[in-house]
Structure formats: C-alpha cells, structure tokens
Amino acid sequence: MAWIPIHDQPYDPVPYRPARVTAEESLRAAADLRARMDERRTVRAFSAEPVPEQAVIDAIAVAATAPSGAHQQPWTFVLVTDPEVRAKIREAAEREEQISYAGRLGEEWLSALRPLGTDQNKPHLTDAPYLIVVFEQRYYLDEESDEQHKHYYVDESVGIAVGMLITALHLAGLAALTHTPSPMKFLSEVLNRPRNEKAFAVIPVGYPADDATVPKLIRKDLEQVLVRF
Ligand SMILES: Cc1cc2nc3c(=O)[nH]c(=O)nc-3n(C[C@H](O)[C@H](O)[C@H](O)COP(=O)(O)O)c2cc1C
C-alpha cells in the first residue's frame, strides 16, 4: 500500500496477532542478542573493501521501521558512495573539526573526548565504502504545493531509528561509526537537501581496517543503569 501523509490518514484498526514464542525461546533470543550487541564497537578505521550493498539497504529498511512520534517517520537516509561527494564531505567536515579541536569545543568537551583518541582527521569519510547521512525532517514539507505540517518528537524518533540502524548493521557483520561533525550544515548543501531537513549524523559503514583498534572503554554495569521499583 502506498504511503500517504499521516495527517491525511483515517483511523483504521486492523487485527495484530504476532506468533507467540515460548518463554524458553524468548530467553534464548534475548541472551543471544545481548551477547552479540555487547560485541558492537564504534569503528573509526575502515577498509576500502566493498561490502554487499543489499545488506546496507536492508539495514536502512530496518531503521525505517522504527516507531516515531505520531508515526510521522521524520527521517531521510542519504546513501553516499560517489568518491567525489565523499571527498567533499570529508574536506568540509575536517575544516569544521579543525576549528572544533583547536578550541571551539572548550576544555570540558575536549577532555571528555580524550579517552577516545579522536582528532580533526576523519579518514573514515573517504575510506569507508558507504556513508549513510541521516537527516531529520523538522516539519513535513510538500515541496510542490509548499504545504507544511508540524512534526512531533523529531530528535527522539530519529535517535531511535539510528539505534536500530546501528544494530542492524552490526548484526549483518558490518562496522559503523556514529559521526556528528559540528556544525553539520554543510551536509545539507553538499547533498542538496530540502529546507525542512537538518543533518543528524553521518554513519560510515564498511569492514574495519586490518589494523583497526578501538579505545579500551568500560561499559556501566547493569546494576548502574537498571533501577527497579
Ligand atoms: C550521538 C552520538 C554522537 C557521536 N559522535 C561521534 C563523533 O562525532 N565522532 C566519533 O568519533 N564518535 C562519535 N560517537 C561515537 C561514540 O564516541 C561511541 O559510541 C562511544 O565512545 C562508545 O563507544 P562504542 O560505540 O564503541 O561502545 C558518537 C556517538 C553518539 C551516540
């Protein structure tokens, strides 16, 4: 069925009867997923080795199933493979990051980043075979008629979709980086996005470089993040 904007859709309930799984199956699935997701790491050094494009497309399709405020699905995923466009993005991102790392971020932010070992150089933007640039649609815009409608909970919705995207990529055996060069306005210009869209994150996707390393980070224990009443 073709999509129509939510503000033009009626309320139309349909039965929902997903297959029930046994408690044992639930426990096994949850434990398996927990172990697999515990292995996920943000990768910053990518191999240029090609990855199967359909796996990346499927991951974007998974992200697009995310829940969203009023089901407005306020996201656009721009898949960039063109080396010239990736080079432009890298050049513009490194220009901004140069200023950020030279002091714009401030000492508190820079000290928070120190354990990650990041700097103004962003080779992943040209090394990774794919960049997924995620845009949030601040409001609905029909470019032809200029009709506009407010979108609700945009950041929350797009954040959930990106979480699902990263999960899907990891489960497909691919590495990703959530990169948020700041400010990100140059992405709208390079990728020619309409005025209702604002860049949310750049996600390079590929296989890790053979000599890739990741910072030794410690995740909080479950007891620190789980509160029961
Ligand atoms: C919203 C958000 C923004 C991030 N921005 C950057 C970034 O600009 N550059 C970068 O190298 N990593 C970035 N990261 C990655 C985090 O540094 C990384 O997730 C964190 O250090 C934990 O490491 P892990 O993902 O390997 O568990 C970002 C992550 C999130 C969720």
Side-chain angles (χ1 to χ4, degrees), residues 11 23 46 73 89 129 137 139 151 201 205 219:
Y11 175 58
F46 287 86
Q73 306 166 77
I89 291 176
Q137 299 169 358
Y139 52 94
H151 275 166
V205 178
R219 292 193 171 119

Side-chain angles (χ1 to χ4, degrees), residues 5 12 123 148 174 191 209:
D12 183 15
Q148 297 182 17
L174 302 176
L191 299 171

Side-chain angles (χ1 to χ4, degrees), residues 161-207:
V162 167
M164 290 173 62
L165 175 65
I166 292 166
T167 302
L169 291 167
H170 174 68
L171 294 178
L174 302 176
L177 160 64
T178 314
H179 183 192
T180 45
S182 173
M184 279 195 269
K185 208 172 174 330
F186 66 89
L187 290 164
S188 299
E189 286 148 27
V190 175
L191 299 171
N192 196 24
R193 300 312 305 156
R195 69 179 193 277
N196 63 324
E197 292 190 5
K198 183 172 165 236
F200 186 84
V202 183
I203 305 185
V205 178
Y207 297 115

Side-chain angles (χ1 to χ4, degrees), residues 9-140:
Q9 288 182 32
Y11 175 58
D12 183 15
V14 291
Y16 179 62
R17 308 273 182 274
R20 274 296 294 264
V21 297
T22 64
E24 288 74 31
E25 284 168 330
S26 283
L27 287 168
R28 199 174 330 112
D32 286 351
L33 186 59
R34 180 176 174 177
R36 291 240 23 219
M37 291 314 297
D38 196 40
E39 292 163 1
R40 185 208 54 79
R41 290 303 311 271
T42 289
V43 165
R44 297 183 176 82
F46 287 86
S47 147
E49 198 185 332
V51 306
E53 180 165 289
Q54 191 58 44
V56 181
I57 304 264
D58 282 347
I60 292 172
V62 168
T65 68
S68 61
H71 190 49
Q72 288 170 317
Q73 306 166 77
W75 43 62
T76 305
F77 302 91
V78 180
L79 185 60
V80 186
T81 49
D82 184 327
E84 270 182 38
V85 179
R86 283 186 294 153
K88 261 194 208 166
I89 291 176
R90 177 173 175 185
E91 198 187 306
E94 287 184 337
R95 207 177 309 128
E96 292 296 350
E97 300 275 19
Q98 176 74 45
I99 302 168
S100 296
Y101 279 88
R104 177 166 60 189
L105 295 180
E107 190 40 44
E108 191 168 3
W109 195 340
L110 285 172
S111 62
L113 293 178
R114 214 154 281 136
L116 306 181
T118 54
D119 60 25
Q120 65 275 16
N121 298 311
K122 303 297 173 189
H124 49 259
L125 293 173
T126 48
D127 292 351
Y130 290 94
L131 298 183
I132 304 172
V133 187
V134 184
F135 286 84
E136 55 179 28
Q137 299 169 358
R138 302 301 307 166
Y139 52 94
Y140 170 86

